[in-house]
Amino acid sequence: MVVYAFYIFDRHASCIYKKKWLPTPTAAMPIPNTAPQARVLSAEDDAKLVFGTVFSLRNMVRKLGGVDDNFISYRTGHYKLHYYETPTNLKFVMVTDTKANNLRIVLHQIYVGLYVEYGMFAHLSLWYGKAGGRGLGLDGEGREVQEMVVGKGMNVLIVSDVVVKNPLAPVEYTGGAGINCEMFELGLEQFVGATLQG
C-alpha cells in the first residue's frame, strides 16, 4: 500500500499539519507531449480542497443517513481518502492508493499515539525558572514563557503565540501556526513506514 498524503484539520477548518510522501495522482495527469500541463496547486490550496471535499461528503452522509452514520472513506479510480474525526472535532485525513483497506483504526492510532503524546502537548513542555512555576522560563524550544494573572485565581501561561488556559482543552493554534514538533514528525514517519508502507 502506498500513502500519498496526511492532513490534520482543527475545528476551525485550518490545516494544522500536512505531509506528502508522493504526488497525489489525479485524473488530469497529462499524457506526455499531447496534453497541456495541469496546474500545480499550492500546499494551502491543496489542503483547502481536501477539507472542502471531506466537509461536503461528511455533511451529505449525515443528511442522507442520519446523525448516527459516519463518513469513513471514499475511493476514486486513482486514490482512496480515509477520514477520522475526534470528539474535539479534529479531522485526520489520509490519502492512499485504491488497494488500501479501511484505515479508520490507523488514523485513531495516530491520534492517540502520536498527536496526543507529541502534537498536542508539545507546547506544554515548559521549564520554570522559579519554584512553583510562577516565574519566567523557557520551553523545550527556547521560547519565552510568561505567566499572567487574568482574574481572581485564574492564571494563564503564554508560550510564544499559543495560549494554554486548560491543558485538557483542545489546543488552539493561532496565526496559522500548526504542529511543529520533531518527535511527532519522526513518529509519523516511522509509523507510516513500518505499519502502512512496509
Side-chain angles (χ1 to χ4, degrees):
M1 175 179 64
V2 179
V3 177
Y4 297 122
F6 175 71
Y7 302 89
I8 301 176
F9 298 96
D10 68 4
R11 61 188 178 147
H12 303 293
S14 298
C15 183
I16 60 173
Y17 184 80
K18 59 185 160 268
K19 172 79 176 171
K20 287 190 172 188
W21 284 272
L22 295 172
T24 305
T26 63
M29 286 223 164
I31 300 169
N33 299 327
T34 60
Q37 292 290 335
R39 185 177 144 238
V40 178
L41 296 175
S42 69
E44 185 178 321
D45 289 342
D46 187 43
K48 286 179 184 179
L49 285 173
V50 169
F51 181 81
T53 301
V54 166
F55 182 79
S56 299
L57 288 173
R58 186 194 63 166
N59 286 343
M60 184 179 70
V61 167
R62 286 187 178 164
K63 286 181 181 177
L64 293 175
V67 179
D68 295 334
D69 286 339
N70 290 319
F71 166 62
I72 297 171
S73 66
Y74 81 91
R75 180 187 350 233
T76 69
H78 299 281
Y79 66 91
K80 185 172 182 180
L81 184 139
H82 308 270
Y83 176 73
Y84 174 73
E85 187 170 353
T86 69
T88 57
N89 290 331
L90 285 173
K91 293 146 188 73
F92 288 71
V93 177
M94 186 173 283
V95 181
T96 65
D97 64 351
T98 58
K99 298 173 188 163
N101 292 328
N102 183 2
L103 296 181
R104 186 174 173 85
I105 294 172
V106 171
L107 291 173
H108 177 74
Q109 289 173 338
I110 292 172
Y111 167 63
V112 172
L114 295 173
Y115 177 79
V116 171
E117 186 70 27
Y118 301 117
M120 186 167 112
F121 293 119
H123 63 279
L124 294 178
S125 59
L126 305 176
W127 173 83
Y128 295 105
K130 297 180 182 176
R134 297 201 176 263
L136 296 177
L138 300 175
D139 70 353
E141 297 177 4
R143 295 178 298 193
E144 185 178 43
V145 178
Q146 301 174 8
E147 183 177 39
M148 290 177 32
V149 178
V150 294
K152 187 175 181 180
M154 184 174 171
N155 296 349
V156 176
L157 293 177
I158 299 177
V159 181
S160 187
D161 61 349
V162 178
V163 178
V164 181
K165 295 180 183 174
N166 177 357
L168 300 177
V171 177
E172 299 291 337
Y173 294 95
T174 59
I179 299 171
N180 187 14
C181 177
E182 189 175 327
M183 293 299 291
F184 180 80
E185 289 268 345
L186 182 62
L188 183 65
E189 281 288 333
Q190 290 176 347
F191 184 81
V192 168
T195 307
L196 302 176
Q197 293 182 340

